[in-house]
Amino acid sequence: MIKTVLIDDERLARTELKKLLIDFPEIEVVAEAANANEGLEKIESLNPDLIFLDIQMPGKTGFEMLSELNRVPYVIFTTAYDEYALKAFEVNALDYLLKPIEPKRLADAVQKLQNAEEKDMQVSSENANKSLLSENDQVFVKDGERCWFVKLSEIRLFESVGNYAKVYFGPNKPLILKSLNALEERLDEKVFFRANRKHIVNLRMIEKIEPYFNGGLLLELKGAEKIEVSRRQTVKFKEMMSL
């Protein structure tokens, strides 16, 4: 079953979508939310595989909600407006459905979901056969004409920049063609910690830890970078560091 949350401020729109989803028994609607803040709570507590997400909602847009998530489930946007389509695919949405939703378009979106699941399962299987990188391993980094072989132990931070990652070591910050999720799968979690949606930090490069807004933490690294640990990841961080 594909655990699914519907996030839309229009109750009638959620009701109509639930009716349409009856034709897809593999999709289980486990919760509904009437705004982005409710959506964040449902996603954090239920960890769904899929969300159907409206864009224009009171208080916070669907895009703003996604930016606050550490791990984003599959997303299918449902909206009355067509001008956000390009931005929707920039955040890797599976599909973009205009209201009122047509059954044929919904079926197409579900097919895209199934294709994405099959692809992700294949990637996960391939990654399972890869050993973790140790901190003494070297990675090749190229920035224009400059090239480095850098030990992982010398890297203090990885920062997501679209499908690239910015690598912080010494005074250098070149980009590599690797997503943060792909890096996270290969890095040793005892050394490298996913602080939030955009950053992986080297735990041994932390110089200072401070309480931060909304129950999170603020980490100061040896390069003077200050990285926020999200509220959800703060719990995991404290457990790891016995704080």
Side-chain angles (χ1 to χ4, degrees):
M1 298 293 288
I2 300 167
K3 289 198 303 182
T4 303
V5 173
L6 312 184
I7 306 171
D8 195 316
D9 62 312
E10 299 177 10
R11 182 179 59 82
L12 291 177
R14 299 196 306 270
T15 300
E16 182 60 29
L17 180 54
K18 282 178 69 176
K19 288 179 181 177
L20 292 173
L21 289 172
I22 291 173
D23 291 335
F24 304 93
E26 68 272 28
I27 294 180
E28 178 188 12
V29 177
V30 295
E32 299 179 36
N35 55 57
N37 287 331
E38 284 185 18
L40 287 168
E41 292 175 3
K42 299 295 185 184
I43 292 169
E44 286 196 3
S45 62
L46 298 172
N47 193 27
D49 308 300
L50 169 69
I51 57 175
F52 284 88
L53 179 62
D54 192 11
I55 294 176
Q56 290 287 12
M57 294 181 288
K60 193 178 295 181
T61 69
F63 293 121
E64 290 170 332
M65 191 206 80
L66 291 179
S67 72
E68 296 183 25
L69 292 171
N70 293 316
R71 297 181 185 279
V72 180
Y74 294 119
V75 179
I76 297 175
F77 281 108
T78 58
T79 178
Y81 307 94
D82 61 4
E83 63 261 37
Y84 301 107
L86 180 59
K87 187 173 181 181
F89 291 108
E90 286 176 354
V91 296
N92 296 321
L94 282 176
D95 212 335
Y96 187 94
L97 304 181
L98 288 174
K99 300 175 184 175
I101 297 172
E102 299 176 1
K104 173 64 169 63
R105 283 292 291 115
L106 180 59
D108 291 343
V110 172
Q111 183 60 55
K112 289 179 182 179
L113 169 65
Q114 293 169 342
N115 293 342
E117 280 195 312
E118 290 174 4
K119 182 178 178 181
D120 286 349
M121 287 177 64
Q122 180 180 355
V123 171
S124 296
S125 176
E126 291 171 355
N127 287 334
N129 295 322
K130 296 178 181 177
S131 59
L132 288 175
L133 292 166
S134 78
E135 57 186 319
N136 291 319
D137 284 336
Q138 293 182 326
V139 292
F140 177 72
V141 181
K142 186 176 187 296
D143 185 16
E145 298 299 316
R146 305 177 69 193
C147 302
W148 298 268
F149 281 100
V150 188
K151 277 190 176 183
L152 281 173
S153 59
E154 298 172 2
I155 296 172
R156 60 185 179 273
L157 177 67
F158 293 97
E159 180 179 16
S160 176
V161 184
N163 291 324
Y164 292 78
K166 187 181 290 187
V167 185
Y168 289 69
F169 59 97
N172 307 297
K173 303 174 187 177
L175 291 171
I176 59 173
L177 184 53
K178 285 278 188 183
S179 71
L180 216 60
N181 287 340
L183 285 167
E184 186 179 17
E185 290 170 349
R186 298 292 312 279
L187 295 170
D188 186 348
E189 65 178 9
K190 296 184 183 68
V191 181
F192 288 92
F193 179 74
R194 183 71 174 262
N196 55 52
R197 189 176 60 89
K198 291 194 65 175
H199 298 102
I200 295 175
V201 300
N202 185 334
L203 294 171
R204 293 170 187 172
M205 291 286 187
I206 297 172
E207 287 204 324
K208 188 186 297 183
I209 304 171
E210 298 176 355
Y212 199 57
F213 176 74
N214 202 24
L217 294 172
L218 190 67
L219 309 179
E220 184 171 332
L221 306 184
K222 290 183 179 179
E225 297 86 4
K226 293 186 176 181
I227 305 299
E228 179 184 352
V229 182
S230 69
R231 183 175 60 181
R232 184 177 184 180
Q233 290 299 90
T234 291
V235 175
K236 184 177 179 181
F237 182 84
K238 288 181 175 180
E239 289 176 352
M240 289 179 63
M241 306 298 285
S242 300
L243 296 177

